[in-house]
Amino acid sequence: MLDWTDRHCRYFHRLLTKEALLYTEMVTTGALIYGKGDYLAYSEEEHPVALQLGGNEPTALAYCAKMAQQSGYDEINLNIGCPSDRVQNGRFGACLMREGGLVADCIKAMQDAATIPITVKTRIGVDDDDSYAFLTDFIDKIVTDSQCRLFIIHARKAWLSGLSPKQNREIPPLDYLRVYQLKKDFPQLTIVVNGGIKNIDEAKQHLHHLDGVMIGREAYQNPALLTQVDVEFFDQRSLVIDPIIAVQTMYPYIERELKQGTYLGHITRHMLGIFQAIPGARQWRRHLSENAHKKGADVTVVKQALEFITGN
């Protein structure tokens, strides 16, 4: 979710569910250690929130884990699933599935540096190394050599050459049964499934077999989906169950961020899909897309766009 689940996105999503664990976009150790921006910035309202890290050097990952804990993050997730060329060139992401020993060393180093949970997000295989035995050997190595007990499994393998990151989310076939089998063979682990999950009913079906569900792009493109999470899975009323109220609740945040120099479009781009399939949604998206980037654009632009939904 690079360039998607930034702090503005997460603040908005937290209005829609108080219980779901939110994840940052993947941040590399190099960016945290040497970058000029504050890549750990977030709002206190986002909790519980996990930092997703990319890297392959135990010492650097340990340093970043300590930074994350000091910043107040609730979890650190090591990404062993991203297939992009940039990630491969840095020798991390999905290519690390072939180096289970190194992954275990990275996790151990982070566990030594921080007390918050260290988890792993990975695929079911990589290139032609896509047998079930390959996956179980990878998981077993990490479990044996570290204290990691929670794995998020994207139920597709990754092709490291010939497919773009977008194609890697669509072309390799989903194999949920393989993830189910992994839970049966490692019952002591917490296994969370990811990939291709479009709605609450599908999530419920997976929870008959697994411990959790991660929803990525569908939650981004149709964030109103999140308004059902607290009621359906946690037996609690959501913070906000009406998308219109969710948008209106964002007004103080938007005004505060604008005063700090944030551009309106950097916030509203994450809100475009909130009214999916609702009359006026297209006009809502168009008005924001055409006006939020303009010089001096403020919360008035959002209020005007909302009139296409409310009718007044």
Side-chain angles (χ1 to χ4, degrees), residues 10 41 54 177 233 247:
R10 298 191 305 269
L177 294 181
F233 299 111
V247 170

Side-chain angles (χ1 to χ4, degrees), residues 279-294:
R282 181 179 298 179
Q283 294 93 326
W284 153 266
R285 293 192 299 269
R286 180 185 299 129
H287 189 82
L288 289 181
S289 298
E290 292 178 351
N291 295 284
H293 69 282
K294 293 180 179 178

Side-chain angles (χ1 to χ4, degrees), residues 8 10 53 65 70 90 96 112 140 176 213 226 232 254 262 295 298:
H8 306 306
R10 298 191 305 269
L53 275 176
Q70 291 173 341
L96 285 181
D112 289 341
D140 187 62
Y176 296 128
V213 173
L226 297 174
E232 296 290 342
I254 291 172
T262 301
K295 184 177 180 179
D298 60 17

